Amino acid sequence: MATQRILDFLATRRPSGPCLVVDLDVVRDNFRAFEKALPDSKIYYAVKANPAPEILRLLAAMGSSFDTASVAEVEMAMDAGAPADRISFGNTIKKERDIARAYQLGIRLFAVDCVEEVEKIARVAPGARVFCRVLTDGEGAEWPLSRKFGCVPAMAVDVLRHAKGLGLDAYGVSFHVGSQQTDLTAWDRALADAKKVFATLAEEGIVLKMVNMGGGFPTRYLKDVPVAQAYGQAIFSALRKHFGNALPETIIEPGRGMVGNAGVIKSEVVLISKKADNDNVRWVFLDIGKFGGLAETMDEAIRYPLVTRHDGSETAPCVLAGPTCDSADVMYEKTPYPLPLSLTIGDEVLIEGTGAYTTTYSAVAFNGFEPLRSYVI
Amino acid sequence: MATQRILDFLATRRPSGPCLVVDLDVVRDNFRAFEKALPDSKIYYAVKANPAPEILRLLAAMGSSFDTASVAEVEMAMDAGAPADRISFGNTIKKERDIARAYQLGIRLFAVDCVEEVEKIARVAPGARVFCRVLTDGEGAEWPLSRKFGCVPAMAVDVLRHAKGLGLDAYGVSFHVGSQQTDLTAWDRALADAKKVFATLAEEGIVLKMVNMGGGFPTRYLKDVPVAQAYGQAIFSALRKHFGNALPETIIEPGRGMVGNAGVIKSEVVLISKKADNDNVRWVFLDIGKFGGLAETMDEAIRYPLVTRHDGSETAPCVLAGPTCDSADVMYEKTPYPLPLSLTIGDEVLIEGTGAYTTTYSAVAFNGFEPLRSYVI
């Protein structure tokens, strides 16, 4: 996944210290693949995955819409050229003053998952469209979602009815099948729930129009995943099955799926050592770790592919850790990572599939280390 | 732990958005308490706990030395007025070019835990003092250390012998009993290991001079902890027991113990909701979470005291979560947190004991939220 452009950039520029390099060509290809796979769905790029201005400008120019988590992200999307009607305020947890600010900026589409949030929106964003997030089971996801977002489908009916009663546009429902979702039937189950909310409210004369199918589209880490096309077909079949000919508008919110495989982190081996002479597992310390951008190695959830100049030679398991004085800054320990025996201090290690959820997760200055630098080419 | 000065500051300045307020009077008291408890030990403040310039300047002026994790932290300590001979480069994982840079800045005291690191130091910091970190068992600590730092005592002997052979000053050993260590016997066990290293090397004519007893001194969260005085007595007794009249120089490296209880985070309730009408646990969402500075709630390790204007009234358990669109951004869920039933959206929540390991852990821009602001008064 380190494209030739990325390799050439690293060879030419030789940046010192860890950095992320993102290849816009890959982002462009990913956007087109989503368009082709789900031609009837609008793509709302999840800005939080990687808000680099170059990425936002490319996607805005290609016609993408944007899913934002804060007023700052709304502003980033607008600065990149997206008009307000292509921006959704997709965070279900918003301060009332932030809703008001987004409304002033022209935002008219808001996520909710409870009546309390509906009431804030009714007060400061009159007439806005709201969609209610429903809880899904998250089965099959590599980074399963907790119950943090959404409510049970029965409560979603109440929430949307309440919105309508307060003069808002009860616009639709959303769900998220969990990040890196590889079980295609997850969308089927979630769409069945969505349809129930549509049907119940239709009986009361409230006609929802949109289903926001969220993200969860995987990027390729170590395992092969079904390609976008397969996702598109499975989702379209599920839509037909549950909604028949009365297909709603649909939205998807890829984040990781749009930029994950477009980025590679360049790092350096700082130290290789053992804890005792008779240990058979080496500790390999890189100049980037959990607090420098690899937060998603938490609980060893995401296992990034590592590339070194010694690949192909004999390997042995290593504990992989970051450079900070924090004992929690260990990426892979329970399941040690096989790395070449010939790996040495000073060697470059490329960490692939790191275009999403790295730069922004990076700690601002932990241990005095600067946040992850990023180059978008 | 919210001092009157902090409360007055918040009442007067009314900062909007989450922020940390640190009271320097408390830091000053903590430094004096450590001095009094361990009058024969040199205090090396662990800069990573909170590198705010005001804190570093105060401690430098009071005569503190500094334990640093990176060249940037070395520079911060020097900028605050600490001379190079009061600064230790305490990270066992260092790039050779960073060791060289620190040496150029005058740093002569370095941590190691393997021969590979010794060799780097011998190449670019000739004649420097090195101390070798030994592994401890970490029993009794709230935030137990993994095996990331240190080596077994037998290997420490090899490491220090190697240092001597390469012309370095084999200066001593260090250990860390684990963060928030409340078991006073942990120091006794670690000092027994340290003494063994001293004794073995003494037989070869290598005379170590220093024991670095690290940090681990707890700050007060929800549970009472033995006061600094009790720590001092226990440590002094253990030193006497193992070293007799030939007491080595000793160093301590308090971080959390120096600033943890000096800081309070002001946050705001963004949303209170349920996931289903019949749920009996409320979800309370604050405007700060795991990615905004409360990283140490990971695995619900540290349970901060929360203060609201409704304290004393009837409470019920809540799941406590942060404001980001990340399902992992939940602070307390397995063990819900009792909060007043009358708590409402917009209420201020003070999070006490947050002076350490918050501002620097904060993500640089996750979800577009700015890093935790900090006021030192």
Side-chain angles (χ1 to χ4, degrees), chain A residues 16-18 48 51 68-73 76 90-98 113-114 116-117 120 135 143-152 154-155 158 268 270-277 279 283 285-287 290-291 295-296 298-299 321-330 333 345 357 359-369 371, chain B residues 16-18 48 51 68-73 76 90-98 113-114 116-117 120 135 143-152 154-155 158 268 270-277 279 283 285-287 290-291 295-296 298-299 321-330 333 345 357 359-369 371:
Chain A
S16 101
K48 61 184 173 289
T68 63
S70 63
V71 170
E73 285 195 354
M76 289 178 214
N91 192 340
T92 52
I93 308 151
K94 299 174 289 298
K95 287 182 182 172
E96 192 165 314
R97 56 186 183 271
D98 288 341
D113 66 359
C114 61
E116 292 80 0
E117 195 74 9
K120 292 182 202 166
L135 279 166
W143 180 268
L145 302 177
S146 71
R147 286 162 49 86
K148 182 175 176 187
F149 307 106
C151 59
V152 298
M155 189 167 134
D158 299 337
E268 177 183 330
V270 181
L271 183 64
I272 302 177
S273 65
K274 291 187 174 185
K275 300 293 159 189
D277 289 326
D279 267 4
W283 282 68
F285 299 92
L286 301 180
D287 61 359
K290 222 170 225 171
F291 302 103
E296 293 204 312
M298 208 189 306
D299 300 326
T324 66
C325 283
D326 193 307
S327 57
D329 187 13
V330 176
E333 183 172 15
I345 294 172
Y357 300 111
T359 50
T360 52
Y361 265 126
S362 179
V364 65
F366 192 52
N367 275 223
F369 293 115
Chain B
S16 100
K48 60 183 175 289
T68 63
S70 64
V71 171
E73 286 194 354
M76 288 178 216
N91 193 339
T92 53
I93 309 151
K94 299 173 290 297
K95 288 183 181 171
E96 192 165 315
R97 55 187 183 273
D98 289 341
D113 66 0
C114 62
E116 293 80 359
E117 196 73 10
K120 292 181 202 168
L135 278 166
W143 180 268
L145 302 177
S146 71
R147 285 162 51 84
K148 181 174 177 188
F149 307 105
C151 60
V152 297
M155 189 167 135
D158 299 338
E268 176 183 330
V270 181
L271 183 63
I272 301 176
S273 64
K274 290 187 173 185
K275 300 294 160 188
D277 289 327
D279 267 5
W283 281 68
F285 299 94
L286 300 180
D287 61 0
K290 223 171 223 168
F291 301 105
E296 292 204 311
M298 209 191 304
D299 300 326
T324 67
C325 283
D326 193 305
S327 56
D329 186 13
V330 176
E333 183 172 14
I345 294 172
Y357 300 111
T359 50
T360 50
Y361 265 125
S362 179
V364 64
F366 192 51
N367 277 224
F369 293 114

Side-chain angles (χ1 to χ4, degrees), chain A residues 4-15 266 348:
Chain A
Q4 195 56 49
R5 292 183 71 221
I6 292 176
L7 295 175
D8 290 347
F9 175 87
L10 288 172
T12 313
R13 288 283 293 269
R14 308 201 66 72
K266 186 221 65 156
E348 184 176 281

Side-chain angles (χ1 to χ4, degrees), chain A residues 107-350:
Chain A
I107 306 306
R108 294 294 180 268
L109 185 60
F110 295 88
V112 297
D113 66 359
C114 61
V115 294
E116 292 80 0
E117 195 74 9
V118 162
E119 284 170 1
K120 292 182 202 166
I121 295 172
R123 279 192 291 271
V124 297
R129 294 172 169 177
V130 296
F131 57 92
C132 184
R133 181 151 167 185
V134 293
L135 279 166
T136 57
D137 59 16
E139 259 179 61
E142 272 190 20
W143 180 268
L145 302 177
S146 71
R147 286 162 49 86
K148 182 175 176 187
F149 307 106
C151 59
V152 298
M155 189 167 134
V157 169
D158 299 337
V159 168
L160 289 164
R161 185 190 298 120
H162 198 73
K164 174 82 173 177
L166 292 176
L168 295 171
D169 186 353
Y171 200 64
V173 299
S174 72
F175 57 79
H176 196 297
V177 292
S179 197
Q180 290 281 95
Q181 180 56 263
T182 53
D183 173 6
L184 291 171
T185 65
W187 274 270
D188 182 73
R189 293 194 300 277
L191 284 166
D193 284 342
K195 171 62 190 179
K196 273 184 230 156
V197 178
F198 268 65
T200 308
L201 286 168
E203 287 168 19
E204 306 176 19
I206 299 173
V207 182
L208 303 181
K209 298 178 195 72
M210 184 268 280
V211 175
N212 177 340
M213 301 187 288
F217 309 95
T219 193
R220 212 173 148 276
Y221 291 111
L222 284 179
K223 292 181 278 183
D224 268 316
V225 291
V227 289
Q229 206 65 32
Y231 276 83
Q233 281 162 11
I235 290 168
F236 189 75
S237 308
L239 275 166
R240 277 272 177 232
K241 172 175 154 195
H242 297 295
F243 288 88
N245 286 325
L247 287 184
E249 293 173 32
T250 53
I251 278 178
I252 57 170
E253 297 174 334
R256 193 188 306 279
M258 189 73 83
V259 295
N261 68 344
V264 170
I265 285 174
K266 186 221 65 156
S267 68
E268 177 183 330
V269 176
V270 181
L271 183 64
I272 302 177
S273 65
K274 291 187 174 185
K275 300 293 159 189
D277 289 326
N278 56 355
D279 267 4
N280 47 22
V281 173
R282 291 168 297 166
W283 282 68
V284 173
F285 299 92
L286 301 180
D287 61 359
I288 184 170
K290 222 170 225 171
F291 302 103
L294 302 177
E296 293 204 312
T297 58
M298 208 189 306
D299 300 326
E300 311 197 6
I302 288 187
R303 207 164 166 85
Y304 296 106
L306 302 180
V307 176
T308 77
R309 68 187 171 96
H310 306 284
D311 291 349
S313 70
E314 195 186 348
T315 66
C318 301
V319 175
L320 195 73
T324 66
C325 283
D326 193 307
S327 57
D329 187 13
V330 176
M331 281 85 82
Y332 305 117
E333 183 172 15
K334 282 174 218 152
T335 313
Y337 205 105
L339 284 175
L341 281 165
S342 48
L343 192 71
T344 55
I345 294 172
D347 273 344
E348 184 176 281
V349 173
L350 299 183

Side-chain angles (χ1 to χ4, degrees), chain B residues 55-76:
Chain B
I55 294 172
L56 301 184
R57 280 198 296 269
L58 169 71
L59 291 173
M62 291 182 84
S64 185
S65 296
F66 296 88
D67 163 46
T68 63
S70 64
V71 171
E73 286 194 354
V74 169
E75 290 169 337
M76 288 178 216

Side-chain angles (χ1 to χ4, degrees), chain B residues 96 99-100 103-104 106-110 118-130 163 166-169:
Chain B
E96 192 165 315
I99 298 167
Y103 188 77
Q104 277 170 6
I107 307 306
R108 294 293 180 270
L109 184 60
F110 296 88
V118 162
E119 285 170 1
K120 292 181 202 168
I121 295 172
R123 279 192 292 270
V124 296
R129 294 173 169 178
V130 296
L166 292 176
L168 294 171
D169 185 354

